[in-house]
Amino acid sequence: PDAPTVPSGNASPTPIDTSNIAGATIKVGTYGGFFEENFRKMYPAFTEEFGVEVESVSEPTSEVWVTQLQQAIAAGGAPPADVSMLSGVGLQRAINGEILATYKTSDIPTSENLAEGYVRTDGDDNVTGVGGLSWYITLVSNTDRVKESPDTWTAFWDPQWENELALLRNAANSFLIEITAATHFGGYDVIQTQDGVLEVMRKLQEVKPNVKLWFRDESQGQPAYNEGEVSLGQFYHDITLFAASEAGGGAPLRSVFPTEGAILDSGFWSISKTTEEIGACVTFIDYMCRPEVQQELALTLGTIPSTKRETLDMSDEDYEVVAGPGPEMALRPKYEMYDKWEDWIDQNWTELILS
């Protein structure tokens, strides 16, 4: 009688029953602002095909969102979302916190369209996350204030930008440690040790006089760029393209791929362990792996499709607009560093960078 209640979800994966999902309602979380607004427009087609209503939820950063999921699940309440989009760092923290439902790759047959690396599994080959899309963090400027944008991350250290920059405020979503290592230390070798990470952070300290805004997420950063509160900084290539192309002339924004490489990050669909609608959740993720859905996301959001290039019929020109010089030229985040040294990095980041 004192045995703990077995959570709903799917702790020990067996084939997921998706035969009776019509009439279900699921909450799907995506990053707030531009992302959530546009993802919300994708859901009616899914509802029409499967009879599953989707309630769109606006997430903060993945790190904050994982904490909220953990708290809700620990308290025994309904999770704030049944399906969440998590960054690579956020997904790993959710796995470590044991808050995700798992299932088999065979439950999402459309995932065969995905490029390598977009299906994350645990040690037992159970799926924990599925790549929904990827995005770049590039050098973004307000064209009213910056007539000719620099094309290198070293601009952040240039005194001409004193009190003009906007940078993401969290170590694990700004990837400024990786940017600094690649720009000033010749690559990632220096951040293999904690002493090396501290050396990189001290170099990054030099940009602090240039930073006007440390922004939390896109919903806080985008207005600052649009309205010319800041001149230059790091931001999301897809959001910048969309804002600049909106009807009526768009915002005065420009996105430039730095010569050292833009940051390439990905969003992974994950399912909360205590969801009561796992069949509907798995069906939703399988639907989002379809090439035609991925292509619509790319052309609407400016994101990089998770599906293989050969599964898409978009033109090379359209693909280049969203993919730039290609993922192979990008800087990849060191996700394992943030997982291994999470508390240590957060503490030193706060003391050295944000203080």
Side-chain angles (χ1 to χ4, degrees):
D2 296 326
T5 302
V6 176
S8 48
N10 207 45
S12 299
T14 55
I16 302 295
D17 182 9
T18 60
S19 60
N20 296 306
I21 61 174
T25 298
I26 59 173
K27 294 181 179 181
V28 175
T30 54
Y31 304 120
F34 161 86
F35 248 58
E36 191 269 333
E37 291 169 11
N38 284 278
F39 264 103
R40 196 189 313 150
K41 299 173 185 175
M42 303 288 293
Y43 302 150
F46 170 77
T47 299
E48 183 177 354
E49 182 172 344
F50 294 99
V52 175
E53 293 290 335
V54 178
E55 181 181 335
S56 185
V57 177
S58 177
E59 297 178 18
T61 63
S62 286
E63 293 73 28
V64 173
W65 189 242
V66 168
T67 299
Q68 293 179 12
L69 290 171
Q70 286 176 314
Q71 291 171 343
I73 290 171
D82 300 287
V83 179
S84 298
M85 178 169 284
L86 300 178
S87 67
V89 173
L91 176 62
Q92 189 57 55
R93 291 181 178 179
I95 293 170
N96 294 346
E98 299 181 348
I99 62 171
L100 301 182
T102 56
Y103 49 95
K104 293 296 185 182
T105 308
S106 56
D107 293 315
I108 46 169
T110 313
S111 65
E112 68 181 10
N113 297 302
L114 299 182
E116 185 177 355
Y118 281 115
V119 177
R120 294 280 295 273
T121 56
D122 62 17
D124 296 322
D125 207 29
N126 301 316
V127 178
T128 55
V130 176
L133 42 76
S134 293
W135 57 82
Y136 286 115
I137 296 174
T138 57
L139 267 173
V140 169
S141 58
N142 180 290
T143 56
D144 288 342
R145 300 185 60 155
V146 183
K147 298 309 177 186
E148 185 176 348
S149 177
D151 64 357
T152 169
W153 293 118
T154 58
F156 291 169
W157 283 261
D158 191 328
Q160 81 171 93
W161 303 112
E162 183 177 357
N163 200 35
E164 295 280 351
L165 299 184
L167 302 178
L168 282 154
R169 69 174 289 112
N170 295 329
N173 75 345
S174 68
F175 309 113
L176 285 164
I177 294 174
E178 289 92 329
I179 287 172
T180 305
T183 303
H184 290 283
F185 295 88
Y188 288 177
D189 286 349
V190 67
I191 53 178
Q192 300 299 322
T193 65
Q194 290 186 342
D195 286 344
V197 172
L198 285 176
E199 185 179 359
V200 169
M201 284 192 191
R202 292 189 185 101
K203 182 64 181 178
L204 182 59
Q205 277 185 304
E206 297 173 9
V207 309
K208 291 170 67 173
N210 290 354
V211 180
K212 183 175 185 178
L213 174 67
W214 291 100
F215 63 96
R216 179 185 62 253
D217 53 30
E218 55 266 34
S219 62
Q220 185 183 24
Q222 188 176 3
Y225 281 108
N226 289 359
E227 297 161 16
E229 179 186 338
V230 295
S231 297
L232 180 75
Q234 60 172 172
F235 203 58
Y236 301 100
H237 176 64
D238 52 317
I239 298 177
T240 303
L241 289 181
F242 182 83
S245 65
E246 282 190 297
L253 302 179
R254 179 195 298 116
S255 174
V256 173
F257 286 81
T259 54
E260 301 89 356
I263 289 286
L264 178 64
D265 197 10
S266 301
F268 292 85
W269 295 117
S270 63
I271 301 176
S272 299
K273 182 168 65 174
T274 52
T275 182
E276 296 182 355
E277 302 291 352
I278 191 166
C281 294
V282 168
T283 301
F284 172 83
I285 292 174
D286 189 59
Y287 174 84
M288 298 303 289
C289 292
R290 293 180 181 179
E292 62 270 24
V293 174
Q294 286 287 310
Q295 181 161 308
E296 184 178 352
L297 284 170
L299 295 175
T300 302
L301 293 172
T303 51
I304 307 165
S306 299
T307 48
K308 301 167 189 172
R309 175 69 181 95
E310 59 268 23
T311 67
L312 307 169
D313 58 18
M314 62 195 300
S315 69
D316 290 340
E317 182 180 1
D318 285 340
Y319 188 78
E320 186 177 345
V321 168
V322 297
E328 65 276 4
M329 301 299 292
L331 300 176
R332 302 291 183 125
K334 291 277 290 181
Y335 296 128
E336 65 277 11
M337 176 178 70
Y338 299 101
D339 178 37
K340 183 179 179 181
W341 298 328
E342 176 184 351
D343 293 338
W344 180 86
I345 287 178
D346 288 346
Q347 178 182 343
N348 283 281
W349 182 265
T350 299
E351 293 176 359
L352 296 175
I353 307 302
L354 298 182
S355 62

